[in-house]
Amino acid sequence: MSSSKHSSELRRLALSVLQPGFVGTEAPDWVLRDIGDGLASVVLFSRNIVSTEQVARLTAQLRAENPDLIVAIDEEAGDVTRIESATGSSRPGNFALGTVDDPELTEAVAADLGRQLRTAGVSLDYAPSADVNSNPDNPIIGVRSFGSDPEVVARHTGAWIRGLQSSGVAACAKHFPGHGDVAVDSHHDLPAYPAGRDEIAAQALPPFRAAVAAGVRAVMSGHLLVPAYDPDLPATLSRRILHGLLREELGFDGLVVSDAIEMGAVTRRYGIDGATVKAVGAGVDAVCVGGESAEEATVALLVKALTAAVTGGELAEDRLAEAAGRVREFARWSAGLRASGAAGEVAGDGIGHVAARRAVRLTGAARAALPLTAAPHVVELAPVTNMAIGKETPWGVAEPLRERLPGTTSVRVRGQELEQGTVALESCALEPAVGRPLVIVARDAARHPWMSRAVTGLTAARPDAIVVEMGLPGDGSAAAAQIFTHGASAASGVAAAEALTGASAL
Protein backbone atom coordinates (compact mmCIF):
# COMPACT_ATOMS: atom_id res chain seq x y z
CA MET A 1 0.00 0.00 0.00
CA SER A 2 1.37 3.42 -0.94
CA SER A 3 2.09 5.81 1.91
CA SER A 4 -0.60 8.24 0.74
CA LYS A 5 -3.18 5.47 0.51
CA HIS A 6 -2.13 4.19 3.92
CA SER A 7 -2.39 7.65 5.47
CA SER A 8 -5.85 8.08 3.90
CA GLU A 9 -6.94 4.74 5.34
CA LEU A 10 -5.53 5.68 8.74
CA ARG A 11 -7.48 8.92 8.63
CA ARG A 12 -10.71 7.02 7.89
CA LEU A 13 -10.04 4.70 10.81
CA ALA A 14 -9.31 7.62 13.13
CA LEU A 15 -12.46 9.49 12.05
CA SER A 16 -14.59 6.39 12.53
CA VAL A 17 -13.74 6.04 16.24
CA LEU A 18 -14.76 9.62 17.11
CA GLN A 19 -18.25 10.67 18.24
CA PRO A 20 -18.05 14.47 17.95
CA GLY A 21 -20.58 17.13 18.79
CA PHE A 22 -21.11 20.28 16.78
CA VAL A 23 -22.82 23.66 17.09
CA GLY A 24 -26.04 24.49 15.32
CA THR A 25 -29.48 23.14 14.48
CA GLU A 26 -28.34 22.18 10.99
CA ALA A 27 -25.32 20.08 10.10
CA PRO A 28 -22.19 22.16 9.48
CA ASP A 29 -20.36 21.55 6.21
CA TRP A 30 -17.33 20.14 8.00
CA VAL A 31 -19.42 17.44 9.67
CA LEU A 32 -20.95 16.40 6.35
CA ARG A 33 -17.47 16.29 4.76
CA ASP A 34 -16.09 14.22 7.62
CA ILE A 35 -18.99 11.75 7.36
CA GLY A 36 -18.08 11.34 3.72
CA ASP A 37 -14.48 10.72 4.78
CA GLY A 38 -15.35 8.05 7.34
CA LEU A 39 -16.86 9.71 10.43
CA ALA A 40 -19.32 7.10 11.68
CA SER A 41 -20.99 8.89 14.60
CA VAL A 42 -22.11 12.27 15.90
CA VAL A 43 -23.57 13.28 19.25
CA LEU A 44 -26.33 15.82 19.81
CA PHE A 45 -26.64 18.23 22.73
CA SER A 46 -29.30 20.77 23.68
CA ARG A 47 -27.66 23.43 21.48
CA ASN A 48 -28.66 21.27 18.45
CA ILE A 49 -32.29 20.93 19.48
CA VAL A 50 -35.36 23.10 18.97
CA SER A 51 -38.02 20.42 18.55
CA THR A 52 -38.38 16.73 17.72
CA GLU A 53 -39.37 17.67 14.16
CA GLN A 54 -36.31 19.87 13.69
CA VAL A 55 -34.01 17.12 15.03
CA ALA A 56 -35.63 14.67 12.61
CA ARG A 57 -34.73 17.02 9.73
CA LEU A 58 -31.19 17.35 11.09
CA THR A 59 -30.66 13.61 11.44
CA ALA A 60 -32.07 13.04 7.94
CA GLN A 61 -29.58 15.60 6.62
CA LEU A 62 -26.74 13.77 8.38
CA ARG A 63 -27.85 10.32 7.26
CA ALA A 64 -28.04 11.43 3.64
CA GLU A 65 -24.23 11.09 3.81
CA ASN A 66 -24.32 7.68 5.56
CA PRO A 67 -27.60 5.80 6.22
CA ASP A 68 -25.98 3.81 9.07
CA LEU A 69 -24.60 6.90 10.84
CA ILE A 70 -24.77 6.57 14.62
CA VAL A 71 -26.60 9.59 16.01
CA ALA A 72 -26.10 9.69 19.78
CA ILE A 73 -27.65 11.87 22.46
CA ASP A 74 -27.02 12.33 26.17
CA GLU A 75 -30.65 11.99 27.26
CA GLU A 76 -31.29 10.50 30.68
CA ALA A 77 -34.73 12.08 31.26
CA GLY A 78 -35.18 13.66 34.67
CA ASP A 79 -32.63 16.33 35.54
CA VAL A 80 -30.34 15.53 32.58
CA THR A 81 -32.35 16.16 29.43
CA ARG A 82 -31.36 17.36 25.97
CA ILE A 83 -34.42 16.60 23.86
CA GLU A 84 -36.55 18.64 26.32
CA SER A 85 -33.88 21.01 27.61
CA ALA A 86 -35.97 24.09 26.84
CA THR A 87 -39.01 22.91 28.81
CA GLY A 88 -37.66 20.40 31.35
CA SER A 89 -38.24 16.69 31.02
CA SER A 90 -41.79 15.39 30.89
CA ARG A 91 -40.45 12.19 32.47
CA PRO A 92 -38.91 11.72 35.91
CA GLY A 93 -35.33 10.57 36.24
CA ASN A 94 -33.79 7.43 37.63
CA PHE A 95 -34.03 8.21 41.34
CA ALA A 96 -37.78 8.76 41.11
CA LEU A 97 -38.19 5.49 39.21
CA GLY A 98 -36.04 3.61 41.70
CA THR A 99 -38.09 5.06 44.54
CA VAL A 100 -41.32 3.74 43.01
CA ASP A 101 -39.47 0.45 42.36
CA ASP A 102 -41.82 -0.85 39.70
CA PRO A 103 -39.65 -2.25 36.88
CA GLU A 104 -42.64 -2.35 34.51
CA LEU A 105 -43.13 1.38 35.04
CA THR A 106 -39.43 2.04 34.43
CA GLU A 107 -39.58 0.00 31.24
CA ALA A 108 -42.66 1.90 30.07
CA VAL A 109 -41.08 5.32 30.74
CA ALA A 110 -37.91 4.33 28.86
CA ALA A 111 -39.96 2.96 25.96
CA ASP A 112 -41.87 6.24 25.81
CA LEU A 113 -38.61 8.18 25.68
CA GLY A 114 -37.30 5.77 23.05
CA ARG A 115 -40.26 6.49 20.77
CA GLN A 116 -39.56 10.21 20.95
CA LEU A 117 -35.85 9.73 20.26
CA ARG A 118 -36.50 7.29 17.39
CA THR A 119 -38.94 9.76 15.82
CA ALA A 120 -36.16 12.34 16.01
CA GLY A 121 -33.73 9.98 14.26
CA VAL A 122 -31.54 9.22 17.28
CA SER A 123 -30.02 5.74 17.30
CA LEU A 124 -27.91 5.71 20.51
CA ASP A 125 -28.75 7.17 23.91
CA TYR A 126 -25.95 7.64 26.46
CA ALA A 127 -28.22 6.24 29.19
CA PRO A 128 -29.05 4.81 31.63
CA SER A 129 -26.76 5.79 34.45
CA ALA A 130 -26.06 2.41 36.07
CA ASP A 131 -24.15 4.00 38.93
CA VAL A 132 -25.08 3.08 42.50
CA ASN A 133 -25.24 6.34 44.44
CA SER A 134 -23.63 4.94 47.57
CA ASN A 135 -21.97 8.25 48.52
CA PRO A 136 -24.61 10.88 49.45
CA ASP A 137 -21.99 13.63 48.94
CA ASN A 138 -21.50 12.62 45.30
CA PRO A 139 -21.57 15.90 43.31
CA ILE A 140 -22.07 14.32 39.89
CA ILE A 141 -24.53 11.40 40.19
CA GLY A 142 -27.17 11.92 42.92
CA VAL A 143 -30.69 11.69 41.48
CA ARG A 144 -29.24 10.44 38.18
CA SER A 145 -28.90 7.05 39.91
CA PHE A 146 -31.78 4.66 40.57
CA GLY A 147 -30.64 4.64 44.21
CA SER A 148 -28.11 3.42 46.74
CA ASP A 149 -29.08 -0.27 46.74
CA PRO A 150 -27.18 -2.30 44.09
CA GLU A 151 -30.11 -4.69 43.63
CA VAL A 152 -32.58 -1.87 43.00
CA VAL A 153 -30.20 -0.17 40.57
CA ALA A 154 -29.54 -3.46 38.75
CA ARG A 155 -33.26 -4.22 38.48
CA HIS A 156 -34.10 -0.84 36.98
CA THR A 157 -30.99 -0.63 34.78
CA GLY A 158 -32.14 -3.80 33.04
CA ALA A 159 -35.74 -2.59 32.78
CA TRP A 160 -34.70 0.81 31.37
CA ILE A 161 -32.50 -0.81 28.72
CA ARG A 162 -35.22 -3.24 27.65
CA GLY A 163 -37.74 -0.40 27.41
CA LEU A 164 -35.55 1.95 25.40
CA GLN A 165 -34.36 -0.74 23.01
CA SER A 166 -37.90 -2.01 22.46
CA SER A 167 -38.55 1.35 20.79
CA GLY A 168 -35.58 1.02 18.45
CA VAL A 169 -32.96 3.14 20.25
CA ALA A 170 -29.75 1.60 21.57
CA ALA A 171 -28.96 2.10 25.25
CA CYS A 172 -25.52 2.76 26.76
CA ALA A 173 -24.91 1.81 30.40
CA LYS A 174 -22.67 4.30 32.19
CA HIS A 175 -20.25 5.14 33.90
CA PHE A 176 -18.24 1.89 34.10
CA PRO A 177 -17.13 0.52 36.53
CA GLY A 178 -19.42 2.76 38.62
CA HIS A 179 -19.27 6.47 39.46
CA GLY A 180 -21.51 6.37 42.51
CA ASP A 181 -19.03 6.28 45.39
CA VAL A 182 -16.96 9.38 44.64
CA ALA A 183 -16.85 12.90 46.08
CA VAL A 184 -15.20 14.74 43.14
CA ASP A 185 -16.87 15.93 39.92
CA SER A 186 -14.94 14.33 37.03
CA HIS A 187 -15.79 17.29 34.78
CA HIS A 188 -13.14 19.15 36.75
CA ASP A 189 -10.72 16.66 38.30
CA LEU A 190 -10.01 12.96 38.77
CA PRO A 191 -12.17 11.22 41.39
CA ALA A 192 -11.04 8.01 43.08
CA TYR A 193 -13.07 4.94 44.05
CA PRO A 194 -10.83 3.35 46.72
CA ALA A 195 -12.88 0.21 47.45
CA GLY A 196 -11.42 -3.29 47.25
CA ARG A 197 -12.38 -5.76 44.51
CA ASP A 198 -14.90 -7.65 46.66
CA GLU A 199 -16.71 -4.44 47.57
CA ILE A 200 -16.69 -3.26 43.96
CA ALA A 201 -18.10 -6.61 42.84
CA ALA A 202 -20.90 -6.37 45.41
CA GLN A 203 -21.61 -2.65 45.21
CA ALA A 204 -20.80 -1.22 41.77
CA LEU A 205 -20.84 -4.08 39.26
CA PRO A 206 -24.32 -5.68 39.64
CA PRO A 207 -26.05 -3.01 37.49
CA PHE A 208 -23.50 -3.50 34.71
CA ARG A 209 -23.95 -7.27 34.85
CA ALA A 210 -27.71 -6.63 34.62
CA ALA A 211 -27.12 -4.31 31.64
CA VAL A 212 -25.19 -7.01 29.78
CA ALA A 213 -27.91 -9.55 30.61
CA ALA A 214 -30.55 -7.12 29.30
CA GLY A 215 -28.81 -6.93 25.93
CA VAL A 216 -26.99 -3.61 26.16
CA ARG A 217 -24.55 -3.24 23.27
CA ALA A 218 -22.77 -0.08 24.45
CA VAL A 219 -21.06 0.74 27.74
CA MET A 220 -19.59 4.14 28.63
CA SER A 221 -16.42 4.29 30.69
CA GLY A 222 -16.09 6.59 33.66
CA HIS A 223 -13.22 8.99 34.29
CA LEU A 224 -12.35 7.73 37.75
CA LEU A 225 -9.37 6.05 39.36
CA VAL A 226 -10.09 2.55 40.68
CA PRO A 227 -6.85 1.53 42.44
CA ALA A 228 -8.05 -2.03 43.11
CA TYR A 229 -7.75 -2.61 39.36
CA ASP A 230 -5.34 0.09 38.22
CA PRO A 231 -3.55 2.42 40.65
CA ASP A 232 -2.23 4.67 37.88
CA LEU A 233 -4.78 5.18 35.13
CA PRO A 234 -8.46 6.22 35.23
CA ALA A 235 -10.91 3.64 33.91
CA THR A 236 -11.24 5.29 30.49
CA LEU A 237 -7.48 4.92 29.97
CA SER A 238 -7.05 1.54 31.68
CA ARG A 239 -6.76 -1.71 29.72
CA ARG A 240 -6.98 -3.61 33.01
CA ILE A 241 -10.46 -2.19 33.57
CA LEU A 242 -11.82 -1.99 30.02
CA HIS A 243 -10.40 -5.30 28.81
CA GLY A 244 -9.66 -7.31 31.94
CA LEU A 245 -12.76 -6.40 33.95
CA LEU A 246 -15.40 -5.35 31.39
CA ARG A 247 -14.65 -7.72 28.53
CA GLU A 248 -13.08 -10.74 30.20
CA GLU A 249 -14.82 -10.81 33.59
CA LEU A 250 -18.23 -9.37 32.66
CA GLY A 251 -18.24 -10.88 29.19
CA PHE A 252 -19.16 -7.68 27.37
CA ASP A 253 -18.39 -7.81 23.64
CA GLY A 254 -20.10 -4.64 22.43
CA LEU A 255 -19.04 -1.02 21.91
CA VAL A 256 -17.02 0.75 24.60
CA VAL A 257 -17.68 4.51 24.50
CA SER A 258 -15.64 7.02 26.50
CA ASP A 259 -17.23 9.63 28.70
CA ALA A 260 -16.59 13.10 27.22
CA ILE A 261 -12.88 13.06 26.56
CA GLU A 262 -12.46 16.80 27.18
CA MET A 263 -13.35 16.44 30.85
CA GLY A 264 -10.74 17.62 33.34
CA ALA A 265 -10.34 14.18 34.94
CA VAL A 266 -8.34 13.00 31.91
CA THR A 267 -7.25 16.17 30.08
CA ARG A 268 -5.51 17.84 33.03
CA ARG A 269 -2.75 15.26 32.85
CA TYR A 270 -2.77 14.08 29.24
CA GLY A 271 -4.44 16.81 27.17
CA ILE A 272 -7.44 16.06 24.98
CA ASP A 273 -5.26 14.51 22.26
CA GLY A 274 -3.13 12.42 24.62
CA ALA A 275 -6.22 11.21 26.48
CA THR A 276 -7.84 10.17 23.18
CA VAL A 277 -4.84 8.12 22.12
CA LYS A 278 -4.55 6.46 25.52
CA ALA A 279 -8.28 5.72 25.62
CA VAL A 280 -8.28 3.93 22.27
CA GLY A 281 -5.12 2.07 23.24
CA ALA A 282 -6.78 0.92 26.46
CA GLY A 283 -9.85 -0.46 24.71
CA VAL A 284 -12.23 2.43 24.02
CA ASP A 285 -13.87 1.94 20.62
CA ALA A 286 -15.66 5.28 20.30
CA VAL A 287 -14.44 8.56 21.78
CA CYS A 288 -17.18 10.97 22.79
CA VAL A 289 -16.05 14.58 22.30
CA GLY A 290 -17.69 17.91 21.76
CA GLY A 291 -19.86 18.64 24.73
CA GLU A 292 -17.52 21.57 25.29
CA SER A 293 -15.00 21.27 22.41
CA ALA A 294 -17.32 21.20 19.41
CA GLU A 295 -15.15 22.74 16.71
CA GLU A 296 -13.86 21.27 13.47
CA ALA A 297 -10.34 21.95 14.78
CA THR A 298 -10.87 19.56 17.71
CA VAL A 299 -11.78 16.69 15.40
CA ALA A 300 -8.79 17.51 13.20
CA LEU A 301 -6.52 17.55 16.26
CA LEU A 302 -7.75 14.14 17.45
CA VAL A 303 -7.50 12.57 13.99
CA LYS A 304 -3.94 13.86 13.74
CA ALA A 305 -3.09 12.55 17.21
CA LEU A 306 -4.46 9.07 16.46
CA THR A 307 -2.75 8.74 13.08
CA ALA A 308 0.55 10.06 14.47
CA ALA A 309 0.31 7.61 17.37
CA VAL A 310 -0.03 4.73 14.91
CA THR A 311 2.81 5.83 12.65
CA GLY A 312 4.97 6.57 15.69
CA GLY A 313 4.35 3.18 17.26
CA GLU A 314 2.48 4.48 20.33
CA LEU A 315 -0.85 2.98 19.21
CA ALA A 316 -1.12 -0.38 17.47
CA GLU A 317 -2.85 -0.10 14.09
CA ASP A 318 -4.62 -3.38 14.84
CA ARG A 319 -6.21 -1.82 17.95
CA LEU A 320 -7.43 1.19 15.95
CA ALA A 321 -8.79 -1.14 13.25
CA GLU A 322 -10.47 -3.30 15.92
CA ALA A 323 -12.15 -0.23 17.42
CA ALA A 324 -13.31 0.93 13.98
CA GLY A 325 -14.68 -2.57 13.29
CA ARG A 326 -16.69 -2.51 16.50
CA VAL A 327 -18.11 0.89 15.53
CA ARG A 328 -19.14 -0.47 12.11
CA GLU A 329 -20.72 -3.53 13.70
CA PHE A 330 -22.61 -1.39 16.21
CA ALA A 331 -23.73 1.01 13.46
CA ARG A 332 -25.22 -1.86 11.44
CA TRP A 333 -26.91 -3.35 14.51
CA SER A 334 -28.32 -0.03 15.72
CA ALA A 335 -29.63 0.80 12.24
CA GLY A 336 -31.45 -2.54 12.25
CA LEU A 337 -32.77 -1.88 15.76
CA ARG A 338 -34.04 1.53 14.66
CA ALA A 339 -35.81 -0.02 11.66
CA SER A 340 -37.50 -2.68 13.81
CA GLY A 341 -38.38 -0.53 16.84
CA ALA A 342 -41.92 -0.70 18.13
CA ALA A 343 -44.06 2.02 16.59
CA GLY A 344 -46.50 4.10 18.55
CA GLU A 345 -47.23 7.58 19.70
CA VAL A 346 -45.16 9.27 22.39
CA ALA A 347 -47.29 9.28 25.51
CA GLY A 348 -46.54 12.96 26.15
CA ASP A 349 -48.55 13.93 29.22
CA GLY A 350 -49.08 10.24 29.99
CA ILE A 351 -46.63 7.76 31.46
CA GLY A 352 -43.96 10.31 32.49
CA HIS A 353 -46.41 12.25 34.63
CA VAL A 354 -47.92 9.07 36.02
CA ALA A 355 -44.44 7.99 37.10
CA ALA A 356 -43.61 11.41 38.60
CA ARG A 357 -46.83 11.37 40.66
CA ARG A 358 -46.09 7.86 41.92
CA ALA A 359 -42.64 8.99 43.10
CA VAL A 360 -43.94 11.81 45.34
CA ARG A 361 -43.80 11.15 49.07
CA LEU A 362 -45.36 13.31 51.83
CA THR A 363 -44.67 13.43 55.54
CA GLY A 364 -47.65 13.23 57.87
CA ALA A 365 -47.39 16.91 58.69
CA ALA A 366 -47.52 17.79 55.00
CA ARG A 367 -50.62 15.64 54.50
CA ALA A 368 -52.30 17.43 57.39
CA ALA A 369 -51.43 20.87 56.02
CA LEU A 370 -52.67 20.24 52.49
CA PRO A 371 -54.26 21.17 50.20
CA LEU A 372 -53.31 24.82 49.98
CA THR A 373 -56.40 26.98 49.68
CA ALA A 374 -54.68 30.35 49.18
CA ALA A 375 -52.01 31.39 46.70
CA PRO A 376 -48.61 30.87 48.39
CA HIS A 377 -45.27 32.58 48.21
CA VAL A 378 -42.66 30.14 46.85
CA VAL A 379 -38.97 30.38 47.70
CA GLU A 380 -36.79 28.28 45.41
CA LEU A 381 -33.26 27.66 46.73
CA ALA A 382 -31.09 27.14 43.65
CA PRO A 383 -27.76 25.31 43.85
CA VAL A 384 -24.97 25.49 41.30
CA THR A 385 -25.60 22.29 39.31
CA ASN A 386 -22.94 20.07 37.74
CA MET A 387 -22.15 20.35 34.05
CA ALA A 388 -24.25 17.33 33.11
CA ILE A 389 -27.38 19.35 33.92
CA GLY A 390 -28.15 22.04 31.36
CA LYS A 391 -28.18 25.53 32.85
CA GLU A 392 -31.03 26.41 30.51
CA THR A 393 -33.27 23.58 31.74
CA PRO A 394 -36.14 24.98 33.85
CA TRP A 395 -37.01 23.37 37.18
CA GLY A 396 -39.01 24.14 40.28
CA VAL A 397 -42.53 24.24 41.63
CA ALA A 398 -43.50 27.93 41.34
CA GLU A 399 -44.57 27.90 37.68
CA PRO A 400 -46.84 24.83 37.78
CA LEU A 401 -48.21 26.05 41.12
CA ARG A 402 -49.01 29.47 39.63
CA GLU A 403 -51.02 27.74 36.90
CA ARG A 404 -53.10 26.01 39.57
CA LEU A 405 -53.26 28.85 42.11
CA PRO A 406 -53.22 32.20 40.31
CA GLY A 407 -51.63 34.85 42.49
CA THR A 408 -48.77 32.58 43.54
CA THR A 409 -45.60 34.66 43.87
CA SER A 410 -42.05 33.38 43.87
CA VAL A 411 -38.39 34.18 44.26
CA ARG A 412 -35.30 32.15 43.37
CA VAL A 413 -32.34 32.50 45.73
CA ARG A 414 -28.76 31.35 45.18
CA GLY A 415 -26.19 30.55 47.83
CA GLN A 416 -23.75 33.15 46.56
CA GLU A 417 -26.39 35.86 47.00
CA LEU A 418 -26.98 34.87 50.62
CA GLU A 419 -23.26 34.59 51.39
CA GLN A 420 -22.53 37.99 49.84
CA GLY A 421 -25.47 39.57 51.62
CA THR A 422 -26.98 40.86 48.37
CA VAL A 423 -30.20 39.01 49.21
CA ALA A 424 -31.84 38.64 52.64
CA LEU A 425 -34.34 35.88 53.33
CA GLU A 426 -36.37 38.20 55.55
CA SER A 427 -37.16 40.60 52.71
CA CYS A 428 -37.45 38.18 49.79
CA ALA A 429 -38.94 35.14 51.53
CA LEU A 430 -40.62 35.94 54.82
CA GLU A 431 -42.11 39.41 54.26
CA PRO A 432 -43.93 38.52 51.00
CA ALA A 433 -45.37 35.43 52.75
CA VAL A 434 -47.01 37.30 55.65
CA GLY A 435 -50.57 36.09 55.94
CA ARG A 436 -50.07 33.53 53.17
CA PRO A 437 -48.76 29.96 52.87
CA LEU A 438 -44.99 29.66 52.44
CA VAL A 439 -43.55 26.94 50.20
CA ILE A 440 -39.79 26.35 50.28
CA VAL A 441 -38.27 24.43 47.37
CA ALA A 442 -34.86 22.83 47.90
CA ARG A 443 -32.63 20.74 45.69
CA ASP A 444 -30.18 18.52 47.60
CA ALA A 445 -30.33 20.62 50.79
CA ALA A 446 -28.35 17.97 52.69
CA ARG A 447 -25.44 18.42 50.27
CA HIS A 448 -25.39 22.23 50.41
CA PRO A 449 -24.79 23.72 53.87
CA TRP A 450 -26.06 27.17 52.85
CA MET A 451 -29.31 25.63 51.61
CA SER A 452 -29.75 23.52 54.72
CA ARG A 453 -29.22 26.63 56.87
CA ALA A 454 -31.76 28.57 54.80
CA VAL A 455 -34.38 25.84 55.15
CA THR A 456 -33.76 25.62 58.89
CA GLY A 457 -34.00 29.40 59.33
CA LEU A 458 -37.13 29.76 57.24
CA THR A 459 -38.96 26.88 58.91
CA ALA A 460 -37.98 28.22 62.34
CA ALA A 461 -39.57 31.55 61.43
CA ARG A 462 -42.52 29.87 59.73
CA PRO A 463 -43.20 26.46 61.32
CA ASP A 464 -46.21 26.11 59.02
CA ALA A 465 -44.03 26.30 55.90
CA ILE A 466 -44.06 23.34 53.53
CA VAL A 467 -40.70 22.18 52.16
CA VAL A 468 -40.50 20.53 48.74
CA GLU A 469 -37.19 18.65 48.36
CA MET A 470 -36.43 17.94 44.68
CA GLY A 471 -33.09 16.22 45.24
CA LEU A 472 -31.89 13.53 47.64
CA PRO A 473 -34.10 13.51 50.74
CA GLY A 474 -31.34 13.76 53.35
CA ASP A 475 -32.24 12.86 56.95
CA GLY A 476 -35.68 14.46 56.81
CA SER A 477 -35.18 16.49 59.98
CA ALA A 478 -35.10 19.96 58.44
CA ALA A 479 -38.85 20.52 58.62
CA ALA A 480 -41.94 18.65 59.72
CA ALA A 481 -44.04 19.29 56.62
CA GLN A 482 -42.16 17.95 53.63
CA ILE A 483 -42.83 16.73 50.10
CA PHE A 484 -40.17 14.65 48.31
CA THR A 485 -40.20 14.44 44.51
CA HIS A 486 -36.90 12.51 44.10
CA GLY A 487 -35.86 14.65 41.14
CA ALA A 488 -36.25 18.10 39.61
CA SER A 489 -37.72 17.29 36.20
CA ALA A 490 -40.62 19.34 34.88
CA ALA A 491 -42.84 16.29 35.46
CA SER A 492 -41.73 16.18 39.10
CA GLY A 493 -42.47 19.89 39.53
CA VAL A 494 -45.99 19.36 38.21
CA ALA A 495 -46.45 16.36 40.52
CA ALA A 496 -45.38 18.50 43.51
CA ALA A 497 -47.77 21.29 42.52
CA GLU A 498 -50.58 18.75 42.26
CA ALA A 499 -49.76 17.43 45.72
CA LEU A 500 -49.75 20.97 47.14
CA THR A 501 -53.14 21.78 45.65
CA GLY A 502 -54.75 18.39 46.21
CA ALA A 503 -55.12 17.83 42.48
CA SER A 504 -53.83 14.25 42.67
CA ALA A 505 -54.52 11.47 45.12
CA LEU A 506 -51.28 10.66 46.96
Side-chain angles (χ1 to χ4, degrees), residues 264-443:
V266 290
T267 57
R268 274 175 176 253
R269 183 169 177 185
Y270 302 104
I272 192 171
D273 47 352
T276 296
V277 170
K278 285 186 175 296
V280 174
V284 165
D285 304 306
V287 177
C288 172
V289 63
E292 301 299 312
S293 304
E295 307 81 16
E296 179 181 8
T298 300
V299 174
L301 172 69
L302 300 189
V303 167
K304 182 179 178 182
L306 287 165
T307 56
V310 171
T311 56
E314 182 186 353
L315 175 63
E317 186 169 350
D318 285 353
R319 166 79 275 268
L320 183 61
E322 177 190 47
R326 279 216 182 87
V327 171
R328 285 195 301 273
E329 181 184 352
F330 181 87
R332 285 193 296 269
W333 171 78
S334 62
L337 184 71
R338 190 161 46 90
S340 63
E345 291 297 310
V346 175
D349 194 40
I351 194 66
H353 285 86
V354 168
R357 289 182 195 113
R358 287 182 62 186
V360 171
R361 300 289 183 269
L362 277 68
T363 61
R367 288 183 183 277
L370 296 176
L372 297 179
T373 55
H377 183 57
V378 181
V379 181
E380 294 178 333
L381 303 172
V384 175
T385 54
N386 64 63
M387 289 176 66
I389 299 171
K391 287 183 172 57
E392 74 285 351
T393 304
W395 68 278
V397 177
E399 285 304 316
L401 198 51
R402 192 173 287 116
E403 292 173 8
R404 288 155 180 81
L405 283 175
T408 295
T409 55
S410 65
V411 64
R412 184 163 286 189
V413 180
R414 293 164 180 80
Q416 189 178 20
E417 295 169 330
L418 291 180
E419 288 161 4
Q420 293 175 345
T422 54
V423 165
L425 290 176
E426 290 77 8
S427 58
C428 75
L430 295 174
E431 289 174 11
V434 170
R436 306 167 57 193
L438 175 62
V439 176
I440 305 160
V441 182
R443 194 171 178 181

Side-chain angles (χ1 to χ4, degrees), residues 177-261:
H179 215 303
D181 193 8
V182 302
V184 171
D185 185 343
S186 51
H187 288 95
H188 306 297
D189 213 338
L190 179 63
Y193 179 22
R197 290 194 181 200
D198 289 348
E199 185 181 338
I200 292 169
Q203 185 74 22
L205 296 183
F208 291 98
R209 293 188 186 277
V212 173
V216 81
R217 297 287 291 271
V219 169
M220 178 176 281
S221 65
H223 299 330
L224 70 161
L225 197 66
V226 190
Y229 286 93
D230 193 327
D232 302 313
L233 294 167
T236 298
L237 313 182
S238 171
R239 182 169 174 79
R240 295 179 194 176
I241 293 173
L242 298 183
H243 186 77
L245 179 57
L246 179 57
R247 294 215 183 276
E248 293 185 346
E249 190 174 325
L250 269 63
F252 178 69
D253 62 359
L255 187 76
V256 176
V257 184
S258 79
D259 203 349
I261 204 68

Side-chain angles (χ1 to χ4, degrees), residues 11-22 30-43 62 65-66 68-70 287 289 299 303 327:
R11 184 172 186 274
R12 285 191 75 84
L13 290 176
L15 272 171
S16 71
V17 303
L18 300 179
Q19 295 195 336
F22 57 88
W30 69 266
V31 171
L32 299 176
R33 281 197 307 272
D34 280 352
I35 294 170
D37 289 345
L39 184 68
S41 318
V42 297
V43 56
L62 291 161
E65 304 295 323
N66 174 8
D68 286 352
L69 183 76
I70 300 164
V287 177
V289 63
V299 174
V303 167
V327 171

